[in-house]
Amino acid sequence: MVSLNPLTPSLRFSSFLLILFLCIAGASSSSAPKATKIGQGYRLISVEETSDGGFVGLLQVKKKHKIYGPDIPLLQLYVKHETENRLRVHITDAKKQRWELPYDLLPREKPPALKQTIGRSRKNPIIVSEYSGSELIFSYKADPFGFAVKRKSNGQTLFNSSSSESDPFGELVFKDQYLEISTILPKDASLYGLGENTQPHGIKLYPNDPYTLYTTDISAINLNADLYGSHPVYMDLRNVGGEPSAHAVLLLNSNGMDVFYRGTSLTYKVIGGVFDFYFFAGPSPLDVVDQYTSLIGRPAPMPYWSFGFHQCRWGYHNLSVVEDVVENYKKAQIPLDVIWNDDDHMDGHKDFTLNPVNYPRPKLLAFLDRIHKIGMKYIVIIDPGIGVNSSYGVYQRGLANDVFIKYEGEPYLAQVWPGAVNFPDFLNPKTVAWWGDEIRRFHELVPVDGLWIDMNEASNFCSGKCKIPKGKQCPSGSGPGWICCLDCKNITKTRWDDPPYKINASGIQVPVGYKTIATSAVHYNGVLEYDAHSIYGFSQSVATHKALQGLQGKRPFILSRSTYVGSGKYSAHWTGDNKGTWEDLKYSISTMLNFGIFGVPMVGSDICGFYPSPTEELCNRWIEVGAFYPFSRDHANFYSPRQELYQWKSVAESARNALGIRYKILPYLYTLNYEAHKTGAPIARPLFFSFPSYTECYGLSTQFLLGSSLMVSPVLEQGKTQVKALFPPGTWYSFLDLTHTIVSKDGVYVTLDAPLHVVNVHLYQNTILPIQQGGLISKEARMTPFTLIVTFPSGASEGQAKGKLYLDNDEQPEMQLGNGYSTYVEFSATVKQGSVKIWSQVQEGKFALDQSLVIEKLTVVGLGGSGGAPSAIELDGKPVAGVSNVEFSTQEHVYHMESQGDGVKKSVMVEVKGLKIPVGKNFVMNWKMGIL
C-alpha cells in the first residue's frame, strides 16, 4: 500500500540502530567527500566519421589503476548532433556490450555497432578538433582525452570535462562498476534538477549538498537523500552581461550514482552502465524543456477531471466511511472530483481484490454508479508485490506465466503489505501481457477510473535472501505491518550486492540492496537488478498505461511514486510521504517545480501532510498552496487524525476560497495540460521561466507561476498574516480584485496582506485568461459561461495581450485537433490610441459549439483613461448599443502603496456583461475609450 516507508524516521524504521545511525550521520553525510583523483584518464587514438553524420573514436586507458576495480582498456566514443539543438556524447566499452536503458523502453537512436571501430587507429591523432552543429559545438583534446560543449552563438562553454592539477576532480574514469567524469562550471551558473530529493535550500542546487540518484522508499521528510525517483538531468541558467541563456545536461544512465556539485564543478560517480550524455541548447528554459521532452517523451495528456480536487486517506476502513467523506464535502460546499482508496478496499492487502466485508462488491458498485452519474471518479492503489498465496488467482496466474524476478532460478521472495511477495518483472513482455490481463479482470470487478501504483522503487520490508518462516504467521496481524517477519540473511557474496564504490544510498551509504530487491537478482534476458533497479517504477508505469489504454480506449490516469527519465509520458506523480510541518509545506514547492523540469508536469504533494496531524493553521495555509498544485490531493496516514478539509470550519473556508479559484481557472490549467503534452512546458513553473533576465528570481522557491502569467504567493510561515512577495518587472493584477494593481518597473518586493483565508494570486500584463464560474465538480464547472480577463500594462497607450483555450471531451487517448472532439481558440487583444480590439481565431469549433459554450463577460484591465464610458462599441461589426442584457461599467485601478507605479497615468478596468458569444466561432469586439 502506499505509505509508511521503512526509512521514515518516526514511523518506518524497523531498526533502532538505523535510526541512531541516521541521527549521528545526518549532519556529516551532507558534506562533500575529499577529492581523490583516480588514474590519468584516456587518450584518443583514432577518430573517423560515421555514415549517420556523427563520428566515432577510440579511447585507450593511459595507466591502469585498481581503485574500484580494473579499468576498461579500450572505449568507444560516439558523438552526433542529433537535432539542431541536441548533441549526444556516448562512451562505452569498445569490445563488450554494456548495460544501457532498454531502447524499446525509451525509444531513441542507437549508436553504431562496436565492431566498426576495433583495430582502426591513426599514428598521428588529431590534438584539438571541433565538430560543429547548428547551435552547439563539440571540441576535444586527445591526450588526456577531454571534451567540451560550447554554445555556437556566443562561444560560451557549457560543459568541459578536462582536468587541471588545481581542479578538485580528475580525468575520465571508466571501470566495470565505477565511472567518473566531471565538468567545470562558472561560479554564477544557477543549476536545477538532479532529483528526486527534498532540497532544504530551495530549488537551486546548493554547493556541497549531496545528490544521490537511486530509487529508494524512504520518506520525503529525509533531506538531501535519494528518494523515489531518479532524474539525472540538470538545467543550467546563466546571465552574462544581461543576456540570459539556459541549457540542460542529461546523463541517460539508470545505475546508482552520486553527483557532487561544488559550485565551480560537478562530478558524476556512477556504479555501472555507460556515459550517454545529451546536451540541450535552449536557450530559454521553455526551449530546454521542449527539447528534453522531445527526446524522453512528451507528458501524458491528463483527463479534465484529474485537475479537480482529490481526497484520499489510508484508513477508510469501510465503504460507509468513503460515502460519508463524499457527502461531507458536498455539505461543506467544498469542490471534490475524485475519491481514492489506499489499500483498505483490498482483501488482505492483495492487489486486484476486494474486502468482502468492508467493501462488498454490490454496495461498492452501487456507490460508484451514483458518483459516476454526477461526474465523480474513483481511484485505488495497487502495489507491485504480489502476495505468495496458493489460493490467490493473481499469484497463481503469475507463476504459470513465469512473470517474476528471479534469484538463483526461483522467484525472488520479499515482504510488503500482504506478507511474502514476488515482484513482477516488467522488462519481460509476458509480464506486461499478464499485468494487462489482471487489470482487465479487476476493472470488470470494479470499474475504477485510474490506478495508483505505489511502493515501486521497489520497496521491500526485508533485505537479502529470505524464506517464509515455519511455525509462525507472517505477518502476525498485530503490530506494524512494515516489520520484516521473513527469515532472511544478508547477501554479500557478489560484487553486485557489495559494489566497490558505495553510493550515498538513503543518505547514509546503506547497501544498495537494503530494503529493496537484491541487486544480484535477475530480470528478463539476464538483466541484473543492479542495473535495472531505478527503472522499475518506470517500467511498471509503461505496462500500466498500456493496460488501461487498451481497456476502453480512453485516456488513462496513473499516479506513480517511483519515476525515471520519461515517466511523465505515462504517469502523474505525487511527492511521497511528507510531514505535516511548515518546513514540508515549503519544500513541496521546490519538488513540484523540479518535476516540471523533469517532464512530469502533473505533480503535487500530500496536502496538509501525510503524517503526523497538521495544525489547523497549517492546514489552512497548505490548501492555499495545494489548490494550485497541478495535481491537488489531500492524503493522510492511517495513524493520523482525520484531516479532510471540512474537519475544521476555518480550513473549510480557506478550501472554498482557494479551490474556488482553482475551479474557475480549470480551463487555463487544462490548456496548460495541452501545451505540456505538445511542448513539455511545465504547468507549475519557477518565475525564471517567464523572467529569465531577472536574476533576482533565479533562486526564488516560495512563489511560483501557473503557466506564464498567473503567480501564486502563499504564506509559508506560522502566525503570519502578510507575505513578502517578489514582483518581476511589469504590471500585476490581483486575481481577487482586478482593480488592485502592482506596477513593478525594475522588480520589487511587496508586502501583501494575507489573512488566514486569503491566498494572493496575481495575473501578469499582456495576458488573456479564460475562466469559468467554478462549481463543486469539474463536470459542472466546465459547462458554465466563460469570462475573458484581458490585462494590458497599466495606463499604457499601446499594448497587446494573448491567450489560448483548449477544449475536448477528455476521453480520447490523445489531445489533438482534427477529430471533431476538440476545439482550440487563440485570443488576441490590442489597445492603440484609445481603441480597444478583442478577437478570437477558432480551430475546429464544432466541439465547443456542440457543448453550447459561450463567453458571457469581458474584463479588460489597465486601460488608459479617466473613467469615461466606452463608446462606438461593436461586436462582429455591428453596434452593441441598445442590445438587451449587455452592460458596460468602468472602475479606476488602485495601486499598492509599495508599488513602483508612481507617475503612471490613471487607468481603468472595463467590464462588458451579458454577452452570449459562442466560444466555437470567431468574434471581433472593439470600442473607443473615453477621455484619455
Side-chain angles (χ1 to χ4, degrees):
M1 81 174 280
V2 60
S3 299
L4 294 185
N5 179 315
L7 284 185
T8 298
S10 64
L11 204 51
R12 293 193 174 182
F13 280 131
S14 59
S15 165
F16 171 75
L17 290 177
L18 192 51
I19 299 175
L20 187 61
F21 189 15
L22 266 179
C23 295
I24 295 170
S28 62
S29 65
S30 65
S31 58
K34 292 179 180 178
T36 302
K37 297 189 179 184
I38 303 171
Q40 298 176 14
Y42 287 74
R43 65 169 63 91
L44 182 68
I45 60 171
S46 77
V47 61
E48 64 184 59
E49 292 185 5
T50 57
S51 58
D52 62 357
F55 77 82
V56 293
L58 276 180
L59 302 175
Q60 187 178 62
V61 69
K62 294 188 68 174
K63 183 180 180 182
K64 293 183 179 180
H65 280 258
K66 293 184 178 179
I67 300 174
Y68 302 137
D71 298 277
I72 292 177
L74 203 62
L75 304 178
Q76 174 180 285
L77 165 72
Y78 170 64
V79 182
K80 184 183 179 185
H81 292 279
E82 291 190 337
T83 69
E84 289 185 352
N85 42 47
R86 184 174 82 224
L87 168 70
R88 185 182 190 184
V89 179
H90 183 278
I91 303 173
T92 188
D93 188 333
K95 294 185 176 180
K96 182 181 175 184
Q97 192 73 41
R98 287 180 63 81
W99 162 258
E100 297 186 45
L101 183 71
Y103 281 80
D104 58 348
L105 202 60
L106 187 74
R108 59 204 190 278
E109 294 183 28
K110 289 189 177 182
L114 300 175
K115 63 183 181 181
Q116 294 179 0
T117 62
I118 299 297
R120 300 185 182 183
S121 65
R122 294 183 176 180
K123 293 180 180 178
N124 301 307
I126 300 168
I127 303 302
V128 177
S129 186
E130 290 189 345
Y131 171 48
S132 182
S134 299
E135 301 293 337
L136 298 173
I137 299 171
F138 175 88
S139 65
Y140 59 87
K141 66 184 184 71
D143 190 5
F145 172 75
F147 71 89
V149 178
K150 297 180 181 179
R151 192 180 295 283
K152 192 171 185 178
S153 61
N154 58 15
Q156 193 177 109
T157 300
L158 309 184
F159 192 96
N160 184 358
S161 73
S162 295
S163 168
S164 66
E165 284 189 15
S166 60
D167 288 324
F169 55 86
E171 302 292 346
L172 171 72
V173 181
F174 205 117
K175 300 168 185 285
D176 191 23
Q177 289 183 266
Y178 182 80
L179 285 65
E180 180 182 321
I181 195 169
S182 302
T183 179
I184 300 166
L185 292 167
K187 281 185 178 179
D188 57 354
S190 296
L191 269 58
Y192 312 87
L194 296 180
E196 176 179 11
N197 57 52
T198 299
Q199 300 174 195
H201 295 108
I203 188 173
K204 274 177 66 171
L205 300 191
Y206 194 79
N208 297 324
D209 272 2
Y211 295 94
T212 299
L213 283 75
Y214 190 72
T215 61
T216 306
D217 175 15
I218 61 172
S219 74
I221 72 170
N222 291 283
L223 307 181
N224 291 324
D226 44 319
L227 299 181
Y228 314 104
S230 174
H231 295 271
V233 62
Y234 69 85
M235 180 187 291
D236 181 335
L237 176 60
R238 304 177 187 179
N239 191 302
V240 180
E243 288 293 323
S245 60
H247 68 275
V249 180
L250 166 67
L251 172 55
L252 192 60
N253 181 304
S254 65
N255 289 85
M257 69 180 78
D258 289 330
V259 185
F260 297 101
Y261 171 52
R262 299 179 179 89
T264 56
S265 67
L266 187 143
T267 298
Y268 299 89
K269 298 187 177 187
V270 195
I271 62 172
V274 302
F275 285 130
D276 193 3
F277 281 105
Y278 291 85
F279 299 90
F280 305 90
S284 75
L286 274 177
D287 290 335
V288 167
V289 181
D290 186 359
Q291 294 154 17
Y292 180 57
T293 56
S294 72
L295 171 71
I296 68 167
R298 300 296 193 191
M302 295 290 164
Y304 199 97
W305 53 261
S306 68
F307 289 91
F309 182 69
H310 304 244
Q311 177 61 52
C312 184
R313 175 181 174 80
W314 177 25
Y316 287 150
H317 301 292
N318 56 51
L319 180 60
S320 65
V321 178
V322 176
E323 292 173 317
D324 285 346
V325 170
V326 172
E327 185 61 29
N328 284 327
Y329 266 94
K330 183 179 178 182
K331 285 180 181 177
Q333 293 290 285
I334 301 171
L336 180 65
D337 259 77
V338 191
I339 187 72
W340 294 58
N341 263 128
D342 208 312
D343 78 344
D344 303 289
H345 69 285
M346 295 181 183
D347 182 13
H349 307 290
K350 298 191 297 293
D351 281 349
F352 308 121
T353 63
L354 278 182
N355 184 308
V357 175
N358 295 333
Y359 283 83
R361 183 170 182 256
K363 289 185 177 180
L364 179 59
L365 292 181
F367 167 70
L368 294 183
D369 187 54
R370 290 197 303 275
I371 67 169
H372 282 155
K373 281 179 179 175
I374 62 171
M376 280 189 65
K377 306 295 181 180
Y378 177 63
I379 295 175
V380 300
I381 199 169
I382 49 173
D383 295 337
I386 301 299
V388 175
N389 186 320
S390 60
S391 62
Y392 178 31
V394 178
Y395 171 68
Q396 292 300 325
R397 290 186 291 272
L399 272 185
N401 284 282
D402 193 24
V403 303
F404 298 118
I405 293 171
K406 301 286 182 62
Y407 183 81
E408 296 180 339
E410 297 294 326
Y412 178 75
L413 192 70
Q415 180 190 328
V416 203
W417 301 110
V421 299
N422 296 149
F423 287 112
D425 174 13
F426 294 103
L427 298 183
N428 187 340
K430 283 169 53 177
T431 307
V432 174
W434 161 82
W435 186 251
D437 185 58
E438 296 302 337
I439 288 176
R440 177 192 61 77
R441 290 168 181 264
F442 181 61
H443 196 269
E444 289 175 356
L445 186 72
V446 186
V448 296
D449 300 289
L451 288 172
W452 174 14
I453 53 177
D454 186 36
M455 308 289 284
N456 52 355
E457 293 72 31
S459 179
N460 180 1
F461 298 159
C462 302
S463 301
K465 183 178 181 181
C466 304
K467 60 183 181 180
I468 298 173
K470 293 182 179 179
K472 72 171 183 177
Q473 186 178 342
C474 175
S476 64
S478 62
W482 57 88
I483 301 299
C484 180
C485 57
L486 300 178
D487 287 339
C488 303
K489 62 180 181 180
N490 289 336
I491 304 174
T492 57
K493 59 187 176 185
T494 77
R495 59 194 179 101
W496 313 116
D497 300 298
D498 187 23
Y501 175 78
K502 315 299 182 193
I503 61 170
N504 194 28
S506 299
I508 51 171
Q509 291 191 339
V510 299
V512 287
Y514 180 76
K515 294 296 182 76
T516 188
I517 300 166
T519 42
S520 53
V522 179
H523 291 254
Y524 179 68
N525 271 352
V527 170
L528 286 168
E529 168 71 9
Y530 181 86
D531 294 314
H533 171 82
S534 287
I535 61 171
Y536 189 80
F538 174 42
S539 63
Q540 186 192 15
S541 294
V542 175
T544 306
H545 189 275
K546 181 178 181 180
L548 285 179
Q549 191 158 292
L551 199 60
Q552 295 177 305
K554 292 183 179 180
R555 190 178 305 173
F557 179 83
I558 301 163
L559 184 72
S560 179
R561 190 168 73 179
S562 187
T563 58
Y564 183 73
V565 175
S567 283
K569 183 178 179 181
Y570 305 97
S571 68
H573 174 64
W574 95 106
T575 63
D577 299 349
N578 57 359
K579 248 182 166 178
T581 69
W582 292 93
E583 290 77 16
D584 283 70
L585 169 59
K586 191 179 295 185
Y587 302 151
S588 75
I589 295 176
S590 295
T591 307
M592 168 184 70
L593 297 179
N594 258 332
F595 270 87
I597 294 171
F598 297 152
V600 189
M602 191 62 163
V603 59
S605 294
D606 286 346
I607 293 169
C608 298
F610 178 66
Y611 76 96
S613 57
T615 65
E616 183 174 347
E617 181 191 0
L618 175 60
C619 206
N620 271 277
R621 293 308 191 186
W622 208 317
I623 186 56
E624 292 172 357
V625 179
F628 301 98
Y629 295 151
F631 172 65
S632 182
R633 184 183 72 160
D634 181 308
H635 178 44
N637 167 28
F638 187 96
Y639 297 94
S640 298
R642 297 285 289 273
Q643 65 181 46
E644 292 84 4
L645 301 178
Y646 55 76
Q647 296 288 350
W648 301 272
K649 285 186 179 180
S650 69
V651 176
E653 184 176 346
S654 293
R656 284 189 291 269
N657 292 342
L659 291 172
I661 297 173
R662 182 184 183 91
Y663 274 63
K664 287 178 181 176
I665 65 170
L666 282 176
Y668 179 61
L669 290 173
Y670 194 64
T671 301
L672 292 174
N673 172 38
Y674 174 70
E675 291 183 3
H677 180 52
K678 293 300 179 185
T679 70
I683 296 171
R685 308 172 189 175
L687 269 64
F688 68 74
F689 265 67
S690 287
F691 303 96
S693 298
Y694 186 49
T695 57
E696 185 73 18
C697 67
Y698 282 14
L700 189 65
S701 306
T702 53
Q703 297 166 249
F704 58 94
L705 291 169
L706 293 175
S708 61
S709 52
L710 200 64
M711 183 170 73
V712 183
S713 306
V715 172
L716 302 173
E717 296 178 63
Q718 185 176 358
K720 300 291 186 183
T721 56
Q722 292 182 319
V723 61
K724 189 176 181 182
L726 179 64
F727 286 82
T731 306
W732 297 85
Y733 299 92
S734 170
F735 190 84
L736 297 176
D737 184 345
L738 290 165
T739 63
H740 284 226
T741 309
I742 291 171
V743 177
S744 173
K745 290 181 180 178
D746 305 309
V748 63
Y749 278 95
V750 175
T751 301
L752 303 169
D753 287 332
L756 189 61
H757 305 304
V758 172
V759 57
N760 281 281
V761 180
H762 287 81
L763 186 59
Y764 193 56
Q765 64 186 37
N766 307 327
T767 300
I768 300 180
L769 180 71
I771 65 171
Q772 287 176 287
Q773 293 177 358
L776 295 181
I777 192 166
S778 64
K779 183 180 179 181
E780 297 173 356
R782 71 183 302 191
M783 299 310 296
T784 60
F786 280 86
T787 293
L788 297 185
I789 301 174
V790 183
T791 63
F792 291 119
S794 181
S797 56
E798 292 190 12
Q800 62 179 9
K802 292 189 178 297
K804 302 168 185 173
L805 177 64
Y806 177 84
L807 302 163
D808 68 8
N809 71 353
D810 97 346
E811 294 275 298
Q812 300 295 308
E814 288 298 320
M815 290 183 107
Q816 60 188 19
L817 294 171
N819 56 14
Y821 296 104
S822 57
T823 293
Y824 185 69
V825 187
E826 293 182 330
F827 297 106
S828 303
T830 58
V831 58
K832 189 173 184 180
Q833 297 176 341
S835 292
V836 178
K837 180 182 178 183
I838 304 167
W839 70 97
S840 71
Q841 291 180 294
V842 179
Q843 297 179 51
E844 304 289 333
K846 181 179 183 299
F847 175 76
L849 291 172
D850 289 347
Q851 300 293 309
S852 301
L853 296 171
V854 297
I855 299 166
E856 184 182 70
K857 180 179 172 184
L858 298 175
T859 300
V860 186
V861 296
L863 292 171
S866 58
S871 61
I873 305 155
E874 292 183 342
L875 178 60
D876 295 332
K878 298 177 182 178
V880 175
V883 175
S884 62
N885 299 323
V886 177
E887 301 176 13
F888 286 82
S889 62
T890 61
Q891 194 173 349
E892 285 197 11
H893 284 295
V894 178
Y895 293 96
H896 195 282
M897 60 185 298
E898 293 183 44
S899 166
Q900 296 173 324
D902 298 340
V904 174
K905 288 188 292 185
K906 282 187 175 182
S907 62
V908 297
M909 174 177 76
V910 172
E911 289 195 325
V912 188
K913 300 177 183 177
L915 299 168
K916 290 185 179 179
I917 302 171
V919 172
K921 286 186 178 179
N922 294 345
F923 79 90
V924 180
M925 190 167 196
N926 47 318
W927 67 77
K928 289 194 176 295
M929 289 299 297
I931 302 166
L932 290 176

